[in-house]
Amino acid sequence: MEEEGQSAGGWRDTKEPEDRLRAMESSGEQPSAQPPLPGDHCIRDGDFVVLKREDVFKAVQVQRRKKITFEKQWFYLDNVIGHSYGTTFEVTGGGSLQPKKKKEESTSETKEAGTDNRNIIDDGKSQKLTQDDIKALKDKGIKGEEIVQQLIENSTTFRDKTEFAQDKYIKKKKKKYEAIVTILKPSTRILSIMYYAREPGKINHMRYDTLAQMLTLGNIRAGNKMIVMETCSGLVLGAMMERMGGFGSIIQLYPGDGPIRVATACFGFPKSFLSGLYEFPLNKVDSLLNGTFSAEMLSSEPKDNTSIEESNGIVEDKQTPEQDTEDPMTEAPDSSHPEDQETMEVVAQGPEYKEPKERGSKKAYIQEKQRRQEEQRKRHLEAAALLSERNADGLIVASRFHPTPLLLGLLDFVAPSRPFVVYCQYKEPLLECYTKLRERGGVINLKLSETWLRNYQVLPDRSHPKLLMSGGGGYLLSGFTVVSDNVRADATLRCSTGTLESLKTEEPAAKKQKCTESGS
């Protein structure tokens, strides 16, 4: 249950920036100064943050002099560096962000309001200010809060509205004219809400409560050795890494030429978190199960998500088709839904990715490319060694592929008495997977579930369920692995056992009783 207008990161300390601003005002300091704050709560250059305005989110990276467009507003994030997460900023002239000062509302004044709205006619003539007048106010540099106040004063029907209608009117006008942005720290909950609201297809329509159920049923915790196969843009992987806190190991199985971790990059994990992250190609799992896997098999595969082409002495760096088509949200927004495509803005390439001219000579560029490919090959071999131990602490599957062959093949890498969770947008593939697991054996406590979610508006005297709700967030199949009985696997013993059991359970024939006729 969420309170209307509450930040998605509401469990974080949001009063700290307000107290800091009051202290700065009393000491005569400027709000744009950078106070000394702990590193975890302070926004730094290069950090990934989430912009929030009302119920709209967008993930971006903080970079100086980089123009950001969000909800039809453009601004720069230079002034947010040094402030704490949860601070609300106001967009001023020139795209500059300044911390918004919170005004104390006086409770002594009584609002003049009507009893009902029956006599109010919406004919468009109640507002004296025209669009040209409002535009002139904006050109003069008047802030959105003052524009809203003038709209209230020039409305002939505002005082006749009920108190609830007045609050609704003010909230609507503030959303339209006040340019305020809240900076939040990325988390699993915020990013999952952001993806599900704007681009649910990128995460296979996985709702945020379903993701929370996956993490709970999979027993994701620090120190685990987990296997994950997901095609949700790296959201499930990032959620697992956040919960494990950099302790333990995660082996990601990926289809195609390389793993897609666009959503994982939005978390902004430190480099220490990446030391326990391994990847392994999905098409080499069968050879690993059969014992025919070798290091030479990786030599024929591409080692990176990019390919080098040499023509006329020019080195070109091209993205693979898998990488280009996986997340067009960050590169080629759809013109038909410009607002929906503002979900996230991620720098796809890190600092080590530079143009060939900046790197130096062509030979040095190729050597750097080969070095990264060799490092990736070593990581693949390390992942193969971890999988070969077959003692993983859990398995998470959330992909667009059919779950049955994936789960039946990957369960062999999981140790006994360990959980596994499979997500699918539809229940029919999971029903087939459920039947195959019952026939195969080696699992217990199989359960197919679907969570039901409904948001509520919590306001004084008008708390009620919201009119719009989600129709479904996907289905989960969970269970635990157990050691299979090898005796029953033998066909002859199983046959003899079945015959013996049938003899034991066979009911004896009913005894015949001789009936004597009584003579009369």
Side-chain angles (χ1 to χ4, degrees):
M1 182 168 60
E2 297 181 2
E3 184 176 354
E4 188 176 63
Q6 183 179 0
S7 169
W11 63 86
R12 302 183 183 274
D13 188 7
T14 57
K15 295 184 179 180
E16 182 181 355
E18 300 172 7
D19 299 338
R20 179 174 56 81
L21 287 175
R22 294 194 186 98
M24 291 167 59
E25 292 171 3
S26 61
S27 60
E29 298 181 9
Q30 296 296 327
S32 59
Q34 298 184 5
L37 292 173
D40 294 340
H41 302 284
C42 180
I43 303 174
R44 293 168 294 185
D45 188 13
D47 288 354
F48 285 90
V49 299
V50 176
L51 309 179
K52 178 182 182 295
R53 184 179 179 186
E54 296 292 334
D55 296 330
V56 183
F57 299 90
K58 182 178 181 180
V60 298
Q61 187 179 20
V62 178
Q63 291 180 336
R64 296 183 183 273
R65 303 309 303 166
K66 181 182 178 181
K67 189 175 182 179
I68 303 295
T69 304
F70 179 54
E71 286 291 286
K72 300 180 181 180
Q73 292 283 340
W74 65 271
F75 47 84
Y76 299 96
L77 297 177
D78 297 44
N79 291 343
V80 307
I81 300 175
H83 291 277
S84 61
Y85 287 100
T87 306
T88 300
F89 296 88
E90 185 175 5
V91 182
T92 59
S96 177
L97 293 181
Q98 296 297 332
K100 182 177 176 59
K101 301 177 182 180
K102 184 177 180 181
K103 292 186 176 181
E104 298 181 357
E105 298 181 358
S106 57
T107 57
S108 59
E109 298 181 0
T110 58
K111 294 183 180 180
E112 182 181 353
T115 56
D116 53 52
N117 300 326
R118 70 178 68 182
N119 297 324
I120 297 177
I121 301 175
D122 188 10
D123 54 359
K125 300 178 181 179
S126 59
Q127 181 56 246
K128 297 179 182 179
L129 291 180
T130 62
Q131 291 293 334
D132 296 336
D133 297 335
I134 297 175
K135 185 178 180 181
L137 293 176
K138 290 182 179 180
D139 295 339
K140 291 180 181 178
I142 297 178
K143 296 183 179 180
E145 189 175 355
E146 299 178 6
I147 295 178
V148 173
Q149 186 63 31
Q150 292 198 21
L151 288 173
I152 295 174
E153 294 175 356
N154 288 274
S155 177
T156 58
T157 59
F158 180 80
R159 291 174 178 80
D160 298 333
K161 297 176 182 287
T162 62
E163 185 178 353
F164 294 158
Q166 289 180 357
D167 294 341
K168 192 174 181 180
Y169 178 86
I170 294 174
K171 181 180 179 182
K172 181 180 178 181
K173 296 304 179 182
K174 282 184 176 181
K175 182 179 180 181
K176 185 175 182 180
Y177 295 105
E178 283 191 2
I180 57 175
V181 177
T182 304
I183 309 296
L184 302 177
K185 190 175 181 64
S187 65
T188 299
R189 180 173 180 264
I190 295 176
L191 292 178
S192 58
I193 291 176
M194 177 189 74
Y195 265 97
Y196 187 77
R198 293 298 182 182
E199 288 289 341
K202 300 296 179 184
I203 57 174
N204 298 331
H205 296 267
M206 178 189 298
R207 204 168 51 202
Y208 39 91
D209 60 310
T210 305
L211 178 59
Q213 290 288 329
M214 289 184 64
L215 299 177
T216 302
L217 295 173
N219 192 26
I220 310 299
R221 56 186 177 84
N224 273 7
K225 177 182 176 182
M226 301 298 301
I227 301 176
V228 58
M229 164 54 193
E230 61 112 326
T231 56
C232 299
S233 300
L235 179 63
V236 178
L237 175 63
M240 296 173 62
M241 295 175 63
E242 183 187 61
R243 179 161 290 198
M244 295 177 65
F247 299 95
S249 57
I250 301 178
I251 306 168
Q252 182 185 11
L253 304 176
Y254 63 88
D257 296 332
I260 305 299
R261 297 172 180 171
V262 180
T264 309
C266 295
F267 284 86
F269 293 124
K271 293 183 178 180
S272 59
F273 279 52
L274 303 178
S275 60
L277 178 59
Y278 304 88
E279 62 266 2
F280 192 78
L282 189 62
N283 55 4
K284 296 295 183 292
V285 172
D286 289 339
S287 61
L288 201 61
L289 290 172
N290 300 332
T292 59
F293 177 78
S294 61
E296 288 73 14
M297 298 179 64
L298 293 175
S299 302
S300 60
E301 295 292 327
K303 312 301 188 305
D304 203 350
N305 294 343
T306 55
S307 58
I308 304 177
E309 290 188 3
E310 300 182 28
S311 65
N312 300 328
I314 300 176
V315 181
E316 296 182 357
D317 195 8
K318 294 186 177 182
Q319 294 285 340
T320 59
E322 177 76 17
Q323 188 81 4
D324 290 340
T325 59
E326 182 66 25
D327 197 5
M329 177 175 54
T330 60
E331 298 178 0
D334 189 2
S335 59
S336 60
H337 301 281
E339 295 181 0
D340 292 353
Q341 299 298 338
E342 290 184 350
T343 305
M344 56 183 298
E345 182 176 311
V346 181
V347 178
Q349 296 180 345
E352 68 275 6
Y353 286 84
K354 298 180 180 179
E355 295 296 331
K357 295 181 180 179
E358 298 179 2
R359 297 188 183 206
S361 63
K362 166 185 163 183
K363 183 178 179 181
Y365 172 66
I366 295 179
Q367 290 178 352
E368 175 68 17
K369 200 79 169 178
Q370 293 176 350
R371 184 188 65 82
R372 289 191 286 110
Q373 291 177 356
E374 185 63 24
E375 290 181 357
Q376 188 173 11
R377 181 174 176 272
K378 291 180 180 180
R379 299 290 290 180
H380 285 172
L381 293 177
E382 293 175 358
L386 292 175
L387 290 174
S388 301
E389 297 175 358
R390 304 196 177 192
N391 60 351
D393 294 319
L395 172 64
I396 303 293
V397 178
S399 70
R400 61 179 183 270
F401 305 111
H402 200 287
T404 302
L406 287 174
L407 183 61
L408 294 180
L410 298 179
L411 277 179
D412 294 335
F413 297 111
V414 183
S417 301
R418 299 298 190 272
F420 63 90
V421 185
V422 185
Y423 167 81
C424 187
Q425 184 181 354
Y426 311 101
K427 65 179 178 180
E428 287 77 14
L430 292 182
L431 288 174
E432 180 182 348
C433 189
Y434 179 92
T435 305
K436 294 292 184 182
L437 287 176
R438 293 296 298 269
E439 296 175 356
R440 172 185 178 270
V443 294
I444 60 171
N445 198 22
L446 281 179
K447 184 169 60 175
L448 180 60
S449 61
E450 178 193 16
T451 55
W452 190 79
L453 178 71
R454 190 168 196 177
N455 293 325
Y456 280 74
Q457 170 183 287
V458 180
L459 290 173
D461 298 329
R462 53 194 187 277
S463 296
H464 58 79
K466 290 188 177 180
L467 299 179
L468 300 178
M469 61 173 291
S470 172
Y475 300 84
L476 295 178
L477 176 63
S478 60
F480 288 86
T481 59
V482 293
V483 178
S484 301
D485 192 354
N486 295 327
V487 178
R488 292 190 177 184
D490 188 86
T492 57
L493 292 179
R494 185 168 62 250
C495 181
S496 61
T497 304
T499 305
L500 183 60
E501 290 178 354
S502 63
L503 291 176
K504 290 181 179 180
T505 58
E506 183 179 359
E507 294 183 0
K511 295 182 179 180
K512 296 180 180 180
Q513 295 183 358
K514 185 177 181 181
C515 298
T516 57
E517 297 180 358
S518 59
S520 54

